[in-house]
Every structure is written in C-alpha cells, then in structure tokens.
Amino acid sequence: MLGGLEVRSDRGQIIPIPRLKQRQLLVALLLKVNTPASFDYLTDALWGDDPPASAEQNLKTYIHTLRRLLSPDDPRSAPIETQANTYLVTLGEEDLDLLGFREHVRQGRRATQDHRAEVAHHHYQRALDLWRGDPFPNARRSRILNDAATDLAEERLAALEEFSEIRIGLGRYVEAVPDLRAAASANPTRERLWGQLMLALHGSGDRAAALHSYERLAKAVMEKTGLEPSPALRDLHRRIISSTEVARPASPGLKRSAGASATAGNVPVPRQLPRDPGGFVGRTEELVRLRSLLSPWDGGRPHHVVAITGPPGAGKSVLTIRAAHTVRDRFPDGQLYANLHGATLGLRPLEPLEVLGRFLRALGIAPQAVPTDIDEAAALWRSLLDGRNVLVVLDDAVDLPQVRPLLSVPEGNTVLVNSRRTFALVDDCVHVPIGRLRRVEATTMLAKLAGAERTGRDLEATARLVELCGGLPLAVAVAGARLANRPRWEVADLVERLRDERRRLRELEAGDIAVRSSLRVSYDLLTGSPDRLDREAARALRALGILQVPDVTQHVVGALLDVPTEEAERALERLADGHLVETDGAGRYRLHDLVRLFASEQAVQQDTPADRTAALNRALGFYIATAIRGIELAIPHAKTEVTIAGTSPLSLISAEEAHEWLECEQDNLLSVASQAMAAVDERTARLGAKLVSPLSWHLHYAGFPTHMLEIGRQSLDVGQRLDDAAIQAVAHRFIGFALHLTARPEEAIVHVEEQLAFSRKLGDLRDEQRALGSLATIYRDLGRDEKTIHYSEEQRKVARKIGHKPGEYFALTQIGWARRLQRRFDQAISTLDTALQQIHGCGGDLYQEAAVHEIFGEVHLDLGDPASAKASYENALRCARAAKAYVAEPYMLVGLARSSRLLGEFDQAADYLARSTATARATGADKDLSKQLAEEEAALREARGEEAAPVRRVMTP
C-alpha cells in the first residue's frame, strides 16, 4: 500500500487486481486490517455519498471476486472473512507493508523514549525503507480513500521528522540531508523540516546552504501567511549567521509533527485511572484476552473499542481498572477515566457532552473553549487524540448513545468501556463478556481475604459459602471481609448465619439479588456488633443511601450524621475495611452502585421519614454554606446574597482552595441540588433552590451555562410549586443569564423581564437594578443602543438609590459603550472616566475595569489616536489576565493589533493578530471575532503593500 497498490503471492509473483472498484475495495479493507469493516464504511469508500441502488449486491460481488483473485484454488481460504454485516481481513506485519511501517515506527518511538538512539535509528530506517511512493495512487477516486492517503503521507512525514531528529542527535548530518532536502522542498512552509534541514546542512559544514534554506522558508512563509518564521527558526538562523554553536538535541526524543508539533512539550499527559485494585484475583482468562486486545503480543495496534459486559455485581469495573493498569505503559500519552453512572441509583447518567468536556479539559483545552455543541466537541476530541496513544476508560456506560461520540478515536488510541448493555452495533468493537467467578477463582479470592489456613480447614464449608455468594465478586468480597474482621469465626460460622436466608438467596440468585443477600449479612454484623463504631458505620451506610451524589467526604458524612468530622471519618474507614465503600485514598468515598441500592433500602426500612429528611437537610446546609464561602473567595464580585443559619462551612482560606473545592464538588452540588428541589418536603426543596445561586455563579465562570440553565429551570419549578416569588426571581435571573451566554438573547429577555417584575413586586431594589443591567447587556449585544442606554440609566438610578456602587459603574460602562457606537465620543469618554473612578473608589473590580479600558481603546481608535488606544488595550489586557477572564483576551489583542498597525508597527501588529487568532480559538471566541480578524489581516496586508490573501488559521496549543 505504501506506493502503488501491489499484491504478491507467497512465491513473489504479482497478483493483478484489474478493476478500479476491486482495488478500491481491497484498499478500504486493508485500511481496516484486523478490524471488521462495516457495510456503510465500504459503501462510502466505493461510491461516496451517491451509492447505486444495487450497492449491497455489488459489494458482495466484489468481495467474491477479490477472494477468487487472492486465492484462485480455494476462494474460501482467502484472508477475507464475513462476520455478520461486516468483512474482516486478517494479516500480520510481514504480510502488509503498512503494518510493518507502523510497527517499526512504534519500536523506534519506544527506543527513543528509552534513550536507545541506535536501536531507534534502525527501526525508523526500516520503516521508511518500506515506502515506494505515494500511497495507492492506483486505487483512489473516493473521499475516504483520498483522505486516508493524505493521512498516511502525513504519517510518513512525521516518521521522517522523528528519524531526522535521531540522525541529528547522533551527528549523522550528511546522511540526513538528502531525505530532508526532498521532503522540505515538497513542504515549503513546514518549519520543523526546514529547521532540521538547516541543522543538518550546518552540521555537515555547508553553512551557506543552511542560510539559503532559511531564505527559501522565510519567503514561502511570508507569501502564504504574511508573517516571518517562528522565533525558534529565526534564532537558529541568527546562530548560523554568527557561527555560534548550534545546539542539537542532547538525546533524541520523540517529537510530534504537523498539527501536533505546535503543542509538543506543552500537552498534558493525564493519569486518571483509579488506584489499581489490590488483592485482585481471578478473571485470568479475561485478563489475558484483554491484554492481548489492548497491547497485542506481536506489537500490533490495539483494538479500537473493547467492551466488558455482564450483569450487575459481576466485577466489570474492577476488571476494567485492573486491565487498564496492566497496559498503561502501552499508552504513553496518558489514560483518561470517567464513571458514567449508567447504573447508579438516584444519579443522573453523565451526558456525552459532559464527558467530552471533562476529557478535553484534561487534554489542555481551556474550560471556556470547550464547545457546547456535541458534534464540535467530538471533532475537537478526535483532533486532540490524533497522533497520540491514549487509553480511554469509560466505566459503567448506560447504553451506546451515551458513549457513541467518544468511540470514534484515531488509530493508536483505545476505548475500554464496561456496561450492562451490549455494544454489538459498534464497528471494531470486541466484546469480553463476564459472568460468575469460577469456583476455584471465588475460593482463591475468599482465601486471600479471610486467610488460606482458615478456608482450608473446612473445604466443604468454604465451597458452601462460595455457593451462597452466587459466584459474584462483590458478594465473595463482602463474605471474606466479614471473616477477616472476625478472626475467631470459622467459615462454618458465617455459613450458619446465612442459612436463615437460604430461601431468599435461592429466589434472588441472579444479579442484584445475590449481592443484596450478601450485603444484608454484612450489614447485620455491623448493627448487631457490641462495638459502637460498627453500629455507627451501619448508620453511616444508611445515611449514604439517603444522599444521591457521586462521592462524599468525611465532612459531608459528618453533617449527615450530625457528628464531628473525625467520627464520621472513622465510620467511613470501617465501611472501607468491610468493602462496603470504595475510596481513592484522597479523602473521597463512594458507594458501589449495588451497595447504594442496599443502603437506600435500609434507610427506608429503619429510619423514619423525618430522620431521613433531617439528615438530607443537614448535608444540604453544609453544601450551601461551603458553596457560599467558596464563591466569596473565588469570585469576590459575584454576590450570592444567600445565607444559611446554624451551619459551619468547610474552612476554605484562599481563592485557590475555593476554586479546587468548587471544581471537585461540582457534580455533587448539581446532584444534591436536583435531589433537593425534587423533594416533597418544603424545607428541603427551598434549600435546594437556595443552593442554585452560588452554584450558578461557579458554573458561569467555569464555563457550564447548560448546567446553569438546567438547575435554573428546576428552581423555577420549585418557586412556582411553592408560590414563592423570591425563588422565582432568582430562577429567572439565572435562566436569563444562561440563555444569554448560549446566544439565545430573545429567550433571555423574556426571563430577565420576569425577574424584573418579581423584584419590583418584592420591593427588592438590588435585584431590580441587577435585572435592569442584564437587559442593558442583552440589548447592547443586539445592537439596540437606545434600549441599552435606557435600561442602564434605570439601573444607575436604582443602584444610586440603594448605594450599590458596582451597579452604578456597571451601568456607566454600558452607557459609555452605547455612546461610543453613537459617535458621541466626548460623552463616552466622560462616562467611562466616571465609571473608572467609581471602580477605583470601591477598591477595584478587575473584570469591569478591563471592560472600561477596552471601550476606551475603541474610542481612541475612532478619534484617530492609536497611541492612546494601544495604552488602553494594554491596560485592559493586564486587568483581564489578573481577573483570569481569559475569554476577554482575544478582543484586547485584536485591538492591540489594530493600534500597532496604525502606528506603523507592522511586525508587532502581526504578532498581536496571530495571538488573538490563537486565543480566540482556545476560548471559543473565534466565531464572534472571525470577521474582525479577517478585516484586520486584510488591512495589515494592505498597509504592507502586499496582495490580499485568505485569512491564516492559527492552530492553538
């Protein structure tokens, strides 16, 4: 495939594939080698978007013909298998040059990481020697195959760049020059290649040729982008000119190429796997198979998607995490993990966009830059994984739609998912079903937990106990823990305790049923113990069944139980010893899904409704108090105006601690707020609504407007149900806020007007001025200046009446912006000056000060004073960065670019423009700024006397 498509027999004879469609089909199958290829994929590869009505029959005919061509004596022995509605070609690296190339590249990269440069050199040389030209030029003519050929060419180029780095690191400059010269000529603006060529030429003694290479690159880059080469290339050029010693890599290292090269060295490497489960036994055959799929013994590529499926309690999650740890070295670019809560009682399963958002942020994307559209997020996800080797672990998926957007990852990456549901419709998905433990595995597990000597003393009782546990890992683990905690018991003692439930165990033999029976025994041991701590642990377990959150800390459990934190922690640790809660060792505890079900049942059976409600309300009080404290520290100007009496918050002391707590508890806060607002008890529902205000401020600044919209609507339902105008006013405020942030201004206006009406009805002047300010902002973005001024003036009057300075200077800022658009510059400057004075008089508000300086910059540009404009934009940028308002930076940078251009500082203008483009893409502002960026680039070209060219797109690290 690495050249014209060519098929040879075992004897070396060429096997002709005469027709184009047959060659296209073979290439399409080989691109999916060792992976099932679906009918839809093959149809797209052959006919694109316009397949004939007879496509299915034609495909079967082509498959039959290919089999006959490849194996004329016995077509059934051809390496093309039919599996359901898919086709599979199975080959080794010695059979297909593409597999051989990728294997040698993989070995080369591994040797590079191990600092074995000569071994790496050997493998890269072998890999590149397999190429004979462009990939399969005699089998193109479809979008899929053309794209695949382009991708393969990029793989070759990336390997060459990595090989060249090895050569240069070894001092083999002369050897490197020919390949680099040819590749650089074919890629006139690929800076890494040209930089390597300059190093190789200079190292081989041809200084003049190295300088000439830079001149060719600079000319090509200027013609294409209007910019100079990167600072690193310019610095290399200067060193060569001055004959300064040119540094080469001390030891060859693996670099990324092309689109990934911009982020080399700055790409986060996530290590998100939970702790490797200790004491893991059994599942030997499954682990062997999983390892062969995730890290093939022959060094081949890992399978695209691997799904572990089975009933509840079968140990899917533990097996998944154990398997992931055994192959983590195979995925040097990181491991991502998410618990999707697909079968978690009372918890909302995570949405695909939420999971994508978490993973994108873990891979270095700023929260504000995470797309809110699922397709855009999935596209960015695929782009970030291109060229990497990342293991993605999706724990407890509810169904295929929940994870579908995450499954289409580039080659080299693998998704390991577990679920109760089958993923039969996923292309390239290998299923690993699990059920009960084998008797010998369950016995070994029990012996490891309870002690081999004890289980060996009574083999009959041990076998009976394993039978009663139903062969499910959770049940066996619970039984073993009970025995371990009661060293004087024999195995027969526990078997005897289970006899009373023999009937129930038979009736509830499968799935949840056997686990529930086992958990009942463990729970009874705690409640009937003479040890007070055991009984307190049982109460803690019931309390955890009341609270529907993903995980808890000892502080939350202390509130639930109304006990000191230290006592709550001891109870949790006792539950952890008995395998009734799981902990990651960082002070966070979570219930296995089936244990949560059992705990909830026990709470309903043993605690009164009043006790359960009181416990939930205490936990809510803790969450609310700490959220309020967190917002006060993390976002000082975001006033929640919420209080909670009689509850002490967590002792957060810095903005950093506050940000960390809010981020860690975000899912818990969302879950408990939703649970509370859905409660029948009025006080509980009101507490849930009270949590909405601080939580919404966090969601706004963390970049989650859709979550803010969801809880705002739940809060509105509570307010309407309770006929509480204050709750409804707050709900309308945050719904309007969220709709405005998601570019739905007309809908936002409806809710903000409702907020305004409620605030006036309640006589709440502070909320009234806030609603007026929101209306002014929305109308400003809609370009309705008179409306903006009207509502801003109204806000200012109310704010002045109550002495609320932030409301006054916010209104003045909006008025200044509107006056500038009306070209009433004197009024705009006067208004903005007053706003700035009030900001400083109140002790400062960096976010709002940045906005004022930005408008000043616009006014100065309108007045033809670019020097003053540049100073204003510099102040705005400084304030925005200090306030961590990253989303505002590209706007300031484009203003700096315009100011610098008008001052004749063209190089600096180009630099600001490139940075604005990059940060706009990183923060999600590129759509809003695209017109301004295009206009400014055209203006810069015109100022330089250059021909117009398309706007350059800058990839963001």
Short mmCIF file of all heavy atoms in Angstrom, two decimals, residues 196-248:
data_model
loop_
_atom_site.label_atom_id
_atom_site.label_comp_id
_atom_site.label_asym_id
_atom_site.label_seq_id
_atom_site.Cartn_x
_atom_site.Cartn_y
_atom_site.Cartn_z
N GLN A 196 15.24 21.26 10.65
CA GLN A 196 16.11 20.10 10.67
C GLN A 196 17.09 20.12 9.49
O GLN A 196 18.27 19.77 9.64
CB GLN A 196 15.27 18.82 10.63
CG GLN A 196 14.50 18.57 11.92
CD GLN A 196 13.61 17.35 11.84
OE1 GLN A 196 13.17 16.96 10.74
NE2 GLN A 196 13.33 16.74 12.98
N LEU A 197 16.60 20.57 8.33
CA LEU A 197 17.49 20.67 7.17
C LEU A 197 18.61 21.68 7.43
O LEU A 197 19.78 21.45 7.10
CB LEU A 197 16.69 21.08 5.93
CG LEU A 197 17.50 21.30 4.65
CD1 LEU A 197 18.28 20.04 4.26
CD2 LEU A 197 16.57 21.73 3.50
N MET A 198 18.27 22.83 8.04
CA MET A 198 19.28 23.82 8.37
C MET A 198 20.32 23.24 9.33
O MET A 198 21.54 23.44 9.16
CB MET A 198 18.62 25.05 8.99
CG MET A 198 17.79 25.87 8.01
SD MET A 198 16.69 27.06 8.85
CE MET A 198 17.90 28.13 9.63
N LEU A 199 19.85 22.50 10.36
CA LEU A 199 20.78 21.88 11.29
C LEU A 199 21.68 20.86 10.60
O LEU A 199 22.90 20.83 10.85
CB LEU A 199 20.00 21.18 12.41
CG LEU A 199 19.42 22.06 13.53
CD1 LEU A 199 18.49 21.24 14.40
CD2 LEU A 199 20.55 22.64 14.37
N ALA A 200 21.09 20.05 9.73
CA ALA A 200 21.87 19.02 9.04
C ALA A 200 22.90 19.65 8.10
O ALA A 200 24.06 19.21 8.05
CB ALA A 200 20.94 18.09 8.28
N LEU A 201 22.49 20.67 7.35
CA LEU A 201 23.43 21.33 6.44
C LEU A 201 24.55 22.01 7.21
O LEU A 201 25.74 21.92 6.85
CB LEU A 201 22.68 22.34 5.58
CG LEU A 201 21.76 21.75 4.49
CD1 LEU A 201 20.86 22.82 3.91
CD2 LEU A 201 22.59 21.09 3.38
N HIS A 202 24.19 22.72 8.25
CA HIS A 202 25.21 23.40 9.06
C HIS A 202 26.15 22.39 9.70
O HIS A 202 27.37 22.58 9.73
CB HIS A 202 24.53 24.25 10.13
CG HIS A 202 25.48 25.03 10.97
ND1 HIS A 202 26.22 26.09 10.50
CD2 HIS A 202 25.83 24.90 12.29
CE1 HIS A 202 26.97 26.59 11.46
NE2 HIS A 202 26.75 25.89 12.56
N GLY A 203 25.57 21.28 10.23
CA GLY A 203 26.41 20.27 10.87
C GLY A 203 27.33 19.57 9.90
O GLY A 203 28.42 19.12 10.28
N SER A 204 26.91 19.49 8.62
CA SER A 204 27.76 18.84 7.63
C SER A 204 28.76 19.80 7.00
O SER A 204 29.50 19.43 6.09
CB SER A 204 26.90 18.19 6.54
OG SER A 204 26.12 19.18 5.89
N GLY A 205 28.76 21.05 7.48
CA GLY A 205 29.76 22.02 7.01
C GLY A 205 29.31 22.94 5.91
O GLY A 205 30.09 23.78 5.44
N ASP A 206 28.06 22.82 5.47
CA ASP A 206 27.58 23.66 4.37
C ASP A 206 26.76 24.82 4.94
O ASP A 206 25.53 24.85 4.87
CB ASP A 206 26.74 22.83 3.40
CG ASP A 206 26.55 23.54 2.06
OD1 ASP A 206 26.82 24.76 1.97
OD2 ASP A 206 26.12 22.88 1.11
N ARG A 207 27.45 25.79 5.55
CA ARG A 207 26.78 26.90 6.20
C ARG A 207 25.97 27.74 5.21
O ARG A 207 24.87 28.19 5.50
CB ARG A 207 27.83 27.77 6.90
CG ARG A 207 27.31 29.01 7.60
CD ARG A 207 28.40 29.56 8.51
NE ARG A 207 28.07 30.89 8.99
CZ ARG A 207 28.51 32.02 8.43
NH1 ARG A 207 29.29 31.97 7.37
NH2 ARG A 207 28.17 33.20 8.94
N ALA A 208 26.53 27.95 4.01
CA ALA A 208 25.84 28.77 3.01
C ALA A 208 24.51 28.13 2.61
O ALA A 208 23.49 28.82 2.47
CB ALA A 208 26.73 28.95 1.78
N ALA A 209 24.51 26.81 2.44
CA ALA A 209 23.27 26.12 2.07
C ALA A 209 22.25 26.21 3.20
O ALA A 209 21.04 26.33 2.96
CB ALA A 209 23.55 24.67 1.72
N ALA A 210 22.71 26.15 4.45
CA ALA A 210 21.80 26.27 5.58
C ALA A 210 21.13 27.64 5.59
O ALA A 210 19.92 27.76 5.81
CB ALA A 210 22.56 26.04 6.89
N LEU A 211 21.93 28.71 5.33
CA LEU A 211 21.36 30.06 5.29
C LEU A 211 20.41 30.22 4.11
O LEU A 211 19.36 30.86 4.21
CB LEU A 211 22.48 31.09 5.21
CG LEU A 211 23.39 31.15 6.45
CD1 LEU A 211 24.56 32.09 6.21
CD2 LEU A 211 22.60 31.60 7.67
N HIS A 212 20.76 29.61 2.99
CA HIS A 212 19.88 29.68 1.81
C HIS A 212 18.56 28.97 2.07
O HIS A 212 17.49 29.42 1.62
CB HIS A 212 20.59 29.07 0.60
CG HIS A 212 19.75 29.08 -0.64
ND1 HIS A 212 19.33 30.25 -1.26
CD2 HIS A 212 19.25 28.06 -1.39
CE1 HIS A 212 18.60 29.96 -2.33
NE2 HIS A 212 18.54 28.62 -2.43
N SER A 213 18.63 27.87 2.82
CA SER A 213 17.39 27.15 3.16
C SER A 213 16.47 28.02 3.97
O SER A 213 15.24 28.04 3.77
CB SER A 213 17.73 25.87 3.94
OG SER A 213 18.47 24.98 3.14
N TYR A 214 17.04 28.77 4.93
CA TYR A 214 16.20 29.66 5.72
C TYR A 214 15.55 30.73 4.83
O TYR A 214 14.37 31.06 5.00
CB TYR A 214 17.03 30.35 6.81
CG TYR A 214 16.20 31.35 7.60
CD1 TYR A 214 15.39 30.92 8.65
CD2 TYR A 214 16.21 32.70 7.29
CE1 TYR A 214 14.61 31.82 9.35
CE2 TYR A 214 15.43 33.61 8.00
CZ TYR A 214 14.64 33.16 9.03
OH TYR A 214 13.86 34.04 9.71
N GLU A 215 16.29 31.26 3.88
CA GLU A 215 15.75 32.29 2.99
C GLU A 215 14.58 31.73 2.18
O GLU A 215 13.56 32.41 1.99
CB GLU A 215 16.84 32.81 2.05
CG GLU A 215 17.92 33.60 2.78
CD GLU A 215 19.12 33.90 1.90
OE1 GLU A 215 19.10 33.51 0.72
OE2 GLU A 215 20.08 34.51 2.40
N ARG A 216 14.70 30.49 1.72
CA ARG A 216 13.60 29.87 0.97
C ARG A 216 12.37 29.69 1.86
O ARG A 216 11.24 29.95 1.45
CB ARG A 216 14.04 28.51 0.41
CG ARG A 216 15.07 28.59 -0.71
CD ARG A 216 15.46 27.20 -1.18
NE ARG A 216 14.29 26.47 -1.69
CZ ARG A 216 14.32 25.17 -2.00
NH1 ARG A 216 15.44 24.47 -1.82
NH2 ARG A 216 13.25 24.57 -2.46
N LEU A 217 12.61 29.23 3.09
CA LEU A 217 11.49 29.06 4.02
C LEU A 217 10.83 30.39 4.32
O LEU A 217 9.60 30.51 4.29
CB LEU A 217 12.00 28.42 5.33
CG LEU A 217 10.99 28.42 6.48
CD1 LEU A 217 9.82 27.50 6.16
CD2 LEU A 217 11.66 28.01 7.79
N ALA A 218 11.64 31.41 4.64
CA ALA A 218 11.08 32.71 5.01
C ALA A 218 10.23 33.27 3.89
O ALA A 218 9.16 33.84 4.10
CB ALA A 218 12.20 33.68 5.37
N LYS A 219 10.70 33.11 2.66
CA LYS A 219 9.95 33.61 1.51
C LYS A 219 8.61 32.88 1.38
O LYS A 219 7.56 33.50 1.16
CB LYS A 219 10.77 33.45 0.24
CG LYS A 219 10.06 33.97 -1.02
CD LYS A 219 10.93 33.77 -2.25
CE LYS A 219 10.19 34.26 -3.52
NZ LYS A 219 11.00 34.03 -4.74
N ALA A 220 8.64 31.56 1.53
CA ALA A 220 7.40 30.78 1.39
C ALA A 220 6.42 31.10 2.50
O ALA A 220 5.21 31.24 2.27
CB ALA A 220 7.74 29.28 1.40
N VAL A 221 6.91 31.24 3.73
CA VAL A 221 6.03 31.55 4.86
C VAL A 221 5.42 32.94 4.68
O VAL A 221 4.23 33.15 4.92
CB VAL A 221 6.80 31.45 6.19
CG1 VAL A 221 5.96 32.01 7.34
CG2 VAL A 221 7.18 30.01 6.48
N MET A 222 6.24 33.90 4.24
CA MET A 222 5.74 35.25 4.04
C MET A 222 4.66 35.27 2.96
O MET A 222 3.62 35.93 3.10
CB MET A 222 6.90 36.18 3.67
CG MET A 222 6.50 37.63 3.44
SD MET A 222 5.80 38.42 4.92
CE MET A 222 7.28 38.54 5.92
N GLU A 223 4.89 34.55 1.87
CA GLU A 223 3.92 34.54 0.78
C GLU A 223 2.60 33.89 1.22
O GLU A 223 1.53 34.31 0.78
CB GLU A 223 4.49 33.77 -0.42
CG GLU A 223 5.62 34.52 -1.12
CD GLU A 223 6.24 33.68 -2.23
OE1 GLU A 223 5.93 32.48 -2.34
OE2 GLU A 223 7.05 34.25 -3.00
N LYS A 224 2.70 32.91 2.09
CA LYS A 224 1.49 32.18 2.48
C LYS A 224 0.75 32.86 3.63
O LYS A 224 -0.48 32.88 3.67
CB LYS A 224 1.85 30.75 2.88
CG LYS A 224 0.63 29.89 3.21
CD LYS A 224 1.03 28.46 3.48
CE LYS A 224 -0.20 27.59 3.76
NZ LYS A 224 0.15 26.20 4.04
N THR A 225 1.51 33.41 4.60
CA THR A 225 0.88 33.91 5.82
C THR A 225 1.08 35.39 6.07
O THR A 225 0.39 35.98 6.90
CB THR A 225 1.42 33.16 7.05
OG1 THR A 225 2.80 33.52 7.26
CG2 THR A 225 1.31 31.65 6.87
N GLY A 226 2.03 36.00 5.41
CA GLY A 226 2.33 37.39 5.69
C GLY A 226 3.16 37.58 6.94
O GLY A 226 3.38 38.71 7.38
N LEU A 227 3.65 36.49 7.52
CA LEU A 227 4.43 36.56 8.75
C LEU A 227 5.83 36.00 8.52
O LEU A 227 6.11 35.37 7.50
CB LEU A 227 3.75 35.76 9.86
CG LEU A 227 2.34 36.20 10.24
CD1 LEU A 227 1.75 35.23 11.25
CD2 LEU A 227 2.35 37.61 10.79
N GLU A 228 6.68 36.22 9.50
CA GLU A 228 8.02 35.64 9.47
C GLU A 228 7.96 34.23 10.05
O GLU A 228 6.98 33.86 10.70
CB GLU A 228 8.98 36.50 10.29
CG GLU A 228 9.23 37.87 9.70
CD GLU A 228 10.24 38.66 10.53
OE1 GLU A 228 10.50 38.27 11.68
OE2 GLU A 228 10.75 39.65 10.01
N PRO A 229 9.03 33.44 9.85
CA PRO A 229 9.08 32.14 10.52
C PRO A 229 9.05 32.31 12.03
O PRO A 229 9.21 33.41 12.57
CB PRO A 229 10.42 31.56 10.03
CG PRO A 229 10.69 32.24 8.74
CD PRO A 229 10.15 33.63 8.89
N SER A 230 8.89 31.22 12.73
CA SER A 230 8.75 31.24 14.18
C SER A 230 10.01 31.79 14.84
O SER A 230 11.10 31.77 14.25
CB SER A 230 8.49 29.84 14.70
OG SER A 230 9.63 29.03 14.51
N PRO A 231 9.90 32.27 16.08
CA PRO A 231 11.08 32.77 16.80
C PRO A 231 12.20 31.74 16.88
O PRO A 231 13.38 32.10 16.80
CB PRO A 231 10.53 33.11 18.18
CG PRO A 231 9.08 33.43 17.93
CD PRO A 231 8.66 32.50 16.83
N ALA A 232 11.85 30.45 17.06
CA ALA A 232 12.88 29.42 17.17
C ALA A 232 13.69 29.32 15.88
O ALA A 232 14.92 29.19 15.90
CB ALA A 232 12.25 28.08 17.50
N LEU A 233 13.01 29.39 14.73
CA LEU A 233 13.71 29.34 13.44
C LEU A 233 14.55 30.59 13.23
O LEU A 233 15.67 30.52 12.70
CB LEU A 233 12.70 29.15 12.30
CG LEU A 233 12.45 27.71 11.82
CD1 LEU A 233 13.69 27.15 11.16
CD2 LEU A 233 12.01 26.82 12.96
N ARG A 234 14.01 31.74 13.62
CA ARG A 234 14.78 32.97 13.46
C ARG A 234 16.03 32.95 14.34
O ARG A 234 17.10 33.41 13.94
CB ARG A 234 13.90 34.18 13.81
CG ARG A 234 12.69 34.35 12.90
CD ARG A 234 12.16 35.77 12.91
NE ARG A 234 11.76 36.22 14.23
CZ ARG A 234 10.53 36.07 14.72
NH1 ARG A 234 9.59 35.48 14.00
NH2 ARG A 234 10.22 36.52 15.93
N ASP A 235 15.90 32.39 15.53
CA ASP A 235 17.06 32.29 16.42
C ASP A 235 18.10 31.35 15.85
O ASP A 235 19.31 31.62 15.90
CB ASP A 235 16.61 31.80 17.80
CG ASP A 235 17.77 31.68 18.77
OD1 ASP A 235 18.35 32.73 19.13
OD2 ASP A 235 18.10 30.55 19.16
N LEU A 236 17.66 30.22 15.28
CA LEU A 236 18.59 29.29 14.64
C LEU A 236 19.31 29.97 13.48
O LEU A 236 20.53 29.81 13.31
CB LEU A 236 17.83 28.06 14.15
CG LEU A 236 18.64 27.02 13.36
CD1 LEU A 236 19.79 26.48 14.21
CD2 LEU A 236 17.73 25.88 12.89
N HIS A 237 18.59 30.75 12.71
CA HIS A 237 19.18 31.48 11.59
C HIS A 237 20.27 32.43 12.08
O HIS A 237 21.37 32.51 11.51
CB HIS A 237 18.07 32.25 10.86
CG HIS A 237 18.55 33.04 9.69
ND1 HIS A 237 18.27 34.39 9.53
CD2 HIS A 237 19.31 32.69 8.62
CE1 HIS A 237 18.83 34.81 8.41
NE2 HIS A 237 19.46 33.80 7.83
N ARG A 238 19.97 33.16 13.16
CA ARG A 238 20.96 34.10 13.69
C ARG A 238 22.21 33.37 14.18
O ARG A 238 23.33 33.84 13.99
CB ARG A 238 20.35 34.91 14.84
CG ARG A 238 19.38 35.99 14.39
CD ARG A 238 19.03 36.94 15.53
NE ARG A 238 18.30 36.26 16.60
CZ ARG A 238 16.98 36.18 16.64
NH1 ARG A 238 16.25 36.71 15.67
NH2 ARG A 238 16.40 35.56 17.64
N ARG A 239 22.02 32.22 14.81
CA ARG A 239 23.17 31.46 15.30
C ARG A 239 24.05 30.98 14.15
O ARG A 239 25.28 30.98 14.25
CB ARG A 239 22.70 30.27 16.13
CG ARG A 239 22.12 30.64 17.49
CD ARG A 239 21.54 29.42 18.18
NE ARG A 239 21.12 29.72 19.52
CZ ARG A 239 21.88 29.61 20.61
NH1 ARG A 239 23.14 29.22 20.47
NH2 ARG A 239 21.43 29.90 21.80
N ILE A 240 23.42 30.56 13.08
CA ILE A 240 24.20 30.09 11.92
C ILE A 240 24.95 31.26 11.30
O ILE A 240 26.13 31.14 10.93
CB ILE A 240 23.29 29.40 10.90
CG1 ILE A 240 22.71 28.11 11.50
CG2 ILE A 240 24.05 29.08 9.62
CD1 ILE A 240 21.69 27.41 10.63
N ILE A 241 24.29 32.42 11.20
CA ILE A 241 24.94 33.60 10.63
C ILE A 241 26.19 33.96 11.44
O ILE A 241 27.26 34.24 10.89
CB ILE A 241 23.97 34.79 10.58
CG1 ILE A 241 22.89 34.55 9.52
CG2 ILE A 241 24.72 36.09 10.29
CD1 ILE A 241 21.83 35.62 9.50
N SER A 242 26.03 33.95 12.77
CA SER A 242 27.15 34.38 13.62
C SER A 242 28.12 33.25 13.92
O SER A 242 29.07 33.43 14.69
CB SER A 242 26.61 34.94 14.93
OG SER A 242 25.88 33.93 15.62
N SER A 243 27.85 32.10 13.30
CA SER A 243 28.69 30.91 13.52
C SER A 243 28.70 30.47 14.97
O SER A 243 29.61 29.80 15.43
CB SER A 243 30.13 31.15 13.04
OG SER A 243 30.16 31.34 11.64
N THR A 244 27.65 30.92 15.72
CA THR A 244 27.53 30.45 17.10
C THR A 244 27.24 28.95 17.08
O THR A 244 26.57 28.44 16.19
CB THR A 244 26.37 31.18 17.79
OG1 THR A 244 26.62 32.58 17.70
CG2 THR A 244 26.26 30.78 19.26
N GLU A 245 27.73 28.27 18.10
CA GLU A 245 27.48 26.83 18.15
C GLU A 245 25.98 26.57 18.14
O GLU A 245 25.23 27.12 18.95
CB GLU A 245 28.10 26.22 19.41
CG GLU A 245 27.88 24.71 19.48
CD GLU A 245 28.51 24.12 20.73
OE1 GLU A 245 29.19 24.86 21.45
OE2 GLU A 245 28.31 22.92 20.95
N VAL A 246 25.54 25.74 17.23
CA VAL A 246 24.12 25.43 17.10
C VAL A 246 23.82 24.17 17.90
O VAL A 246 24.38 23.11 17.63
CB VAL A 246 23.72 25.24 15.62
CG1 VAL A 246 22.25 24.89 15.51
CG2 VAL A 246 24.05 26.48 14.83
N ALA A 247 22.97 24.34 18.88
CA ALA A 247 22.68 23.20 19.76
C ALA A 247 21.89 22.14 19.01
O ALA A 247 20.99 22.45 18.23
CB ALA A 247 21.91 23.66 20.98
N ARG A 248 22.22 20.90 19.23
CA ARG A 248 21.40 19.80 18.73
C ARG A 248 20.86 19.04 19.93
O ARG A 248 21.38 19.20 21.04
CB ARG A 248 22.24 18.89 17.83
CG ARG A 248 23.28 18.06 18.58
CD ARG A 248 23.87 17.01 17.62
NE ARG A 248 24.72 16.08 18.32
CZ ARG A 248 26.04 16.08 18.27
NH1 ARG A 248 26.66 17.01 17.57
NH2 ARG A 248 26.74 15.18 18.92
#
